[in-house]
Amino acid sequence: MGSLFRSETMCLAQLFLQSGTAYECLSALGEKGLVQFRDLNQNVSSFQRKFVGEVKRCEELERILAYLVQEINRAHIPLPEGETSPPAPPLKQVLEMQEQLQKLEVELREVTKNKEKLRKNLLELIEYTHMLRVTKTFVRRTVEFEPTYEEFPPLENDSLLDYSCMQRLGAKLGFVSGLINQGKVEAFEKMLWRVCKGYTIVTYAELEEPLEDPETGEVIKWYVFLISFWGEQIGHKVKKICDCYHCHVYPYPNTAEERREIQEGLSTRIQDLYTVLHKTEDYLRQVLCKAAESVYSRVIQVKKMKAIYHMLNMCSFDVTNRCLIAEVWCPEAELHELRRALEEGSRESGAALPSFMNTIPTKETPPTLIRTNRFTEGFQNIVDAYGVGSYREVNPALFTIITFPFLFAVMFGDLGHGFVMFLFALLLVLNENHPRLNQSQEIMRMFFNGRYILLLMGLFSVYTGLIYNDCFSKSVNLFGSRWNVSAMYSSSHSPEERRKMVLWNDSVVRHNRVLQLDPSIPGVFQGPYPLGIDPVWNLATNRLTFLNSFKMKMSVILGIIHMTFGVILGIFNHLHFRKKFNIYLVSIPELLFMLCIFGYLIFMIVYKWLVFSAETSRVAPSILIEFINMFLFPASETNGLYPGQEHVQRLLLVVTALSVPVLFLGKPLFLLWLHNGRSCFGVSRSGYTLVRKDSEEEVSLLGSQDIEGGSNQMEDGCREVTCEEFNFGEILMTQVIHSIEYCLGCISNTASYLRLWALSLAHARRTIQNCQEEAPSLASRADSLNVGGSDLCRVIPCRAI
């Protein structure tokens, strides 16, 4: 099974990179994705490392490219992807690319700034035009409301635009006009009244169409206002209030002739601005289209270049500062690819001295590497979400490929729904190379990333739907029901059988609401249904009782098998790491605790299914009562499932009770005994000394590997390992916590697997409703029952076993 069953074997390699070829070598390594770098400058801050200037340059290029992408998206220009993963740019092209991007950024910012300024001027002129058009109606005066003065000639023919009439009255009249947001009108008017004490006249009119705000760009409703006031002091107050409420104030013409001249000038300037703005937008779009052709590849190149410099900052220099030294974790099977990548990097840079590498022994635990493909990636992500396994441990993702979709299918057992899910996932799989699926929204992208999981979930749901005989909440009669109704009639039996058995006649059928099929009567039950559940159960009133019993027991069986399989996988880990004592002191007690209690529960379920038939089902004992009596030791004897049941159950309880102290104390006591006989731990294997850092008992474990392997010689690496203090209390506490968690988890996890039963019944709830809705209509046809046919209603098969 390779790396899918267990993580790959890793080794620590040391790279010697020439200063002139380091960039090209790391670029070649990055394209192959072979290694994981170790940071050799952990005590040096990020701002004091060698290549911090190059990293800042990459960040500056990322900022420029982000600005370009933002402007391209704002202009609704599609971004062509081009090459999916271009390599990092050569060093000789980096400065040229930086100059091009900086020049392009300056040009775009200037053009965008000019465009925004032109657009703002255009919106202001449009607002000014609307303001002049609306305020023209404010100055029309009605003769019948015009006051007259005895000491002056009548003023009916004078316009408010002419100051001569007001000058004759000895007052200085001023105007402030502009636009204000619709939501600020009421507050604006109250403020004017309170501050100016009524010495102003405010006139409003709402614009018919909303206009775009030159400052924010929002399209909102505006009010045009005209404020008339007397005196300079009041005029200053009015202008300050307009500034506070962010009013767009425009100069008001004094005469009608000036108004006409302003309107003509505005129309001419607006046309000119439209022309200039269109040309500016066309030029800006041309520049953005040209930039969009290469921006995608440049974004990837800059990211790769930044990653290279980050890795170079993890390297250390030799004494001469001409060679970089790096330490990397690499799979042992890929060492030849690592050497080839170094040769390619040296050849591309044209260096006289090639870079080289060698493997070195180490005492550290290597990282976990599990290779995935399109199919296994989704399942591996599910396992990694709970935690990445330790180095060389068994990878449970391999088994999750089957268990995860199947457990889902147990809850989602519907032939029709599962087939729809399967078709949806199959469509995603067949079109997995479509670019739109990778760039879709978050929810759709989540479905796309789990397309193979959905495919298996749908396929397994089709299988469990056949077992449940459920298709879109309807049963499918593929092979014909194995329950025969005609055998229940008295006319089909001899007189002796009529006296012994409770049979039907026409009177019984007509006057009973519920009829029960008796499988003990010959000919009623003709054997099990070939595949899944008999469709006659879909019409039975005790259907829910039967499915409750079936699915609840099935969930318990699947859950206990699943948990037991997890403990068995741990045995493979103990064998691989040569920790055989863990098998005897941990795994076997865990299996005994699990199987003696819950394994025995499975035995009782299967035993009852096999031993008790339809004739003896009424006297069959309850599994729940028998399982409870196993722990309570009742005084009165029960019938039991089989002879000698009480002695077997007591033996199982004794084994369970003995496994608990072994599970709690066995491993700590063994490690204590092992520690008292050794003073230094460590063993060399596969080119490195493995020191697992999980706990102190793992250190003691390494000392026992020689005993278990049959070797009494300590390797040279033992001399380099520092003897750590053995803390028996910490090891004991860790094992006690683990044991308590396991014992309680066996009970709680078994109960948690009942969710399979609960969610399965919740999914099939519609089936029960359909059955209840059809029952009255079928009951009305009880007089014309087709004996032995499929039209029977309200018939109860035997009670669930």
Side-chain angles (χ1 to χ4, degrees), residues 478-493:
L478 297 177
F479 307 101
S481 176
R482 291 301 185 264
W483 292 82
N484 188 8
V485 181
S486 60
M488 290 295 300
Y489 278 82
S490 58
S491 58
S492 61
H493 295 275

Side-chain angles (χ1 to χ4, degrees), residues 20-278:
T21 64
Y23 180 87
E24 288 77 7
C25 291
L26 263 64
S27 177
L29 288 175
E31 293 297 329
K32 294 182 179 295
L34 297 175
V35 297
Q36 176 182 340
F37 281 79
R38 296 180 61 194
D39 192 359
L40 303 181
N41 302 316
Q42 295 182 356
N43 298 326
V44 182
S45 65
S46 301
F47 301 100
Q48 296 177 349
R49 301 198 179 189
K50 182 69 175 178
F51 299 93
V52 64
E54 286 77 2
V55 173
K56 290 182 178 179
R57 181 197 302 170
C58 295
E59 292 177 349
E60 177 66 16
L61 293 178
E62 284 183 337
R63 183 192 62 79
I64 296 175
L65 290 171
Y67 169 73
L68 294 179
V69 172
Q70 179 183 356
E71 293 298 324
I72 291 171
N73 292 332
R74 183 182 299 177
H76 303 288
I77 299 175
L79 285 172
E81 292 189 3
E83 192 176 358
T84 55
S85 182
L91 284 176
K92 56 185 177 181
Q93 296 181 4
V94 173
L95 293 178
E96 181 182 355
M97 182 176 66
Q98 184 179 5
E99 292 177 359
Q100 292 178 356
L101 291 177
Q102 289 177 349
K103 182 179 178 181
L104 182 60
E105 182 195 14
V106 171
E107 185 179 5
L108 279 178
R109 289 191 181 277
E110 290 181 356
V111 177
T112 304
K113 184 178 180 180
N114 293 334
K115 175 191 169 184
E116 296 297 330
K117 187 180 295 184
L118 291 172
R119 185 173 181 81
K120 182 178 179 181
N121 293 337
L122 178 61
L123 294 175
E124 290 177 350
L125 295 180
I126 293 175
E127 287 184 352
Y128 198 5
T129 303
H130 285 284
M131 190 272 295
L132 293 175
R133 176 178 56 81
V134 175
T135 55
K136 184 178 180 181
T137 61
F138 291 171
V139 298
R140 295 178 182 175
R141 308 182 61 186
T142 307
V143 177
E144 54 188 303
F145 296 105
E146 187 67 30
T148 57
Y149 301 91
E150 295 179 357
E151 63 274 19
F152 292 102
L155 302 176
E156 288 83 3
N157 298 327
D158 293 336
S159 172
L160 286 177
L161 298 177
D162 190 359
Y163 279 91
S164 59
C165 58
M166 287 302 159
Q167 290 173 356
R168 289 182 294 170
L169 294 175
K172 292 183 179 180
L173 181 63
F175 295 94
V176 174
S177 59
L179 286 83
I180 187 173
N181 192 348
Q182 182 182 11
K184 301 178 181 179
V185 173
E186 185 177 356
F188 179 65
E189 186 177 6
K190 291 180 179 179
M191 182 63 69
L192 282 174
W193 176 261
R194 293 174 180 175
V195 174
C196 301
K197 299 180 181 180
Y199 289 100
T200 57
I201 301 175
V202 186
T203 309
Y204 295 101
E206 183 180 1
L207 288 180
E208 298 177 356
E209 67 277 5
L211 298 179
E212 185 177 348
D213 191 351
E215 301 294 338
T216 61
E218 298 180 2
V219 179
I220 55 179
K221 294 287 292 183
W222 295 93
Y223 269 77
V224 176
F225 64 88
L226 178 63
I227 305 174
S228 306
F229 59 88
W230 287 268
E232 294 182 358
Q233 294 183 354
I234 296 179
H236 290 306
K237 294 180 180 180
V238 170
K239 292 178 181 179
K240 289 182 179 179
I241 294 174
C242 292
D243 292 339
C244 292
Y245 282 88
H246 302 285
C247 300
H248 297 173
V249 180
Y250 297 98
Y252 189 78
N254 295 328
T255 61
E257 183 179 356
E258 185 180 354
R259 180 190 297 271
R260 285 191 300 270
E261 292 177 357
I262 292 175
Q263 288 179 340
E264 291 175 359
L266 287 177
S267 60
T268 304
R269 292 178 61 188
I270 288 174
Q271 292 297 330
D272 295 341
L273 283 176
Y274 269 122
T275 304
V276 176
L277 188 60
H278 285 319

Side-chain angles (χ1 to χ4, degrees), residues 667-686:
K667 183 176 179 179
L669 293 178
F670 177 80
L671 291 177
L672 179 62
W673 170 80
L674 188 67
H675 172 74
N676 292 334
R678 290 184 179 270
S679 60
C680 190
F681 324 112
V683 79
S684 178
R685 187 175 76 245
S686 301

Side-chain angles (χ1 to χ4, degrees), residues 413-428:
D414 192 294
L415 175 63
H417 294 165
F419 188 69
V420 171
M421 179 185 295
F422 173 78
L423 291 180
F424 172 73
L426 183 63
L427 184 64
L428 293 179

Side-chain angles (χ1 to χ4, degrees), residues 325-515:
I325 302 175
E327 293 184 2
V328 297
W329 293 106
C330 179
E332 291 184 356
E334 302 291 345
L335 287 177
H336 64 284
E337 291 291 337
L338 176 59
R339 294 188 179 93
R340 186 181 304 173
L342 294 178
E343 293 175 359
E344 291 178 1
S346 301
R347 185 171 56 254
E348 290 179 1
S349 62
L353 297 176
S355 301
F356 60 94
M357 55 81 63
N358 64 335
T359 58
I360 57 175
T362 181
K363 306 167 188 176
E364 297 186 8
T365 303
T368 302
L369 174 62
I370 300 174
R371 298 186 187 273
T372 59
N373 51 34
R374 293 180 178 180
F375 179 75
T376 60
E377 182 180 5
F379 299 97
Q380 189 66 51
N381 290 335
I382 294 176
V383 175
D384 291 345
Y386 292 93
V388 180
S390 300
Y391 176 66
R392 298 296 291 165
E393 282 188 347
V394 173
N395 180 26
L398 174 65
F399 313 100
T400 306
I401 297 175
I402 299 300
T403 58
F404 183 82
F406 180 72
L407 292 180
F408 169 82
V410 172
M411 300 180 288
F412 196 79
D414 192 294
L415 175 63
H417 294 165
F419 188 69
V420 171
M421 179 185 295
F422 173 78
L423 291 180
F424 172 73
L426 183 63
L427 184 64
L428 293 179
V429 171
L430 295 178
N431 298 276
E432 61 183 4
N433 295 324
H434 199 283
R436 286 190 177 181
L437 291 176
N438 290 322
Q439 300 176 357
S440 57
Q441 297 180 354
E442 182 179 0
I443 296 180
M444 188 61 192
R445 189 165 59 253
M446 180 174 60
F447 284 126
F448 176 74
N449 294 335
R451 58 193 180 278
Y452 290 102
I453 301 177
L454 293 175
L455 186 72
L456 291 185
M457 286 163 59
L459 190 62
F460 280 61
S461 295
V462 171
Y463 169 74
T464 53
L466 289 174
I467 299 299
Y468 295 163
N469 199 356
D470 198 1
C471 180
F472 292 116
S473 299
K474 295 287 184 180
S475 294
V476 180
N477 192 0
L478 297 177
F479 307 101
S481 176
R482 291 301 185 264
W483 292 82
N484 188 8
V485 181
S486 60
M488 290 295 300
Y489 278 82
S490 58
S491 58
S492 61
H493 295 275
S494 62
E496 296 180 359
E497 293 177 343
R498 296 176 192 175
R499 290 192 296 268
K500 296 179 181 179
M501 298 178 292
V502 179
L503 302 175
W504 298 351
N505 52 35
D506 294 340
S507 177
V508 172
V509 172
R510 293 179 182 276
H511 295 90
N512 287 278
R513 295 187 60 188
V514 177
L515 300 175

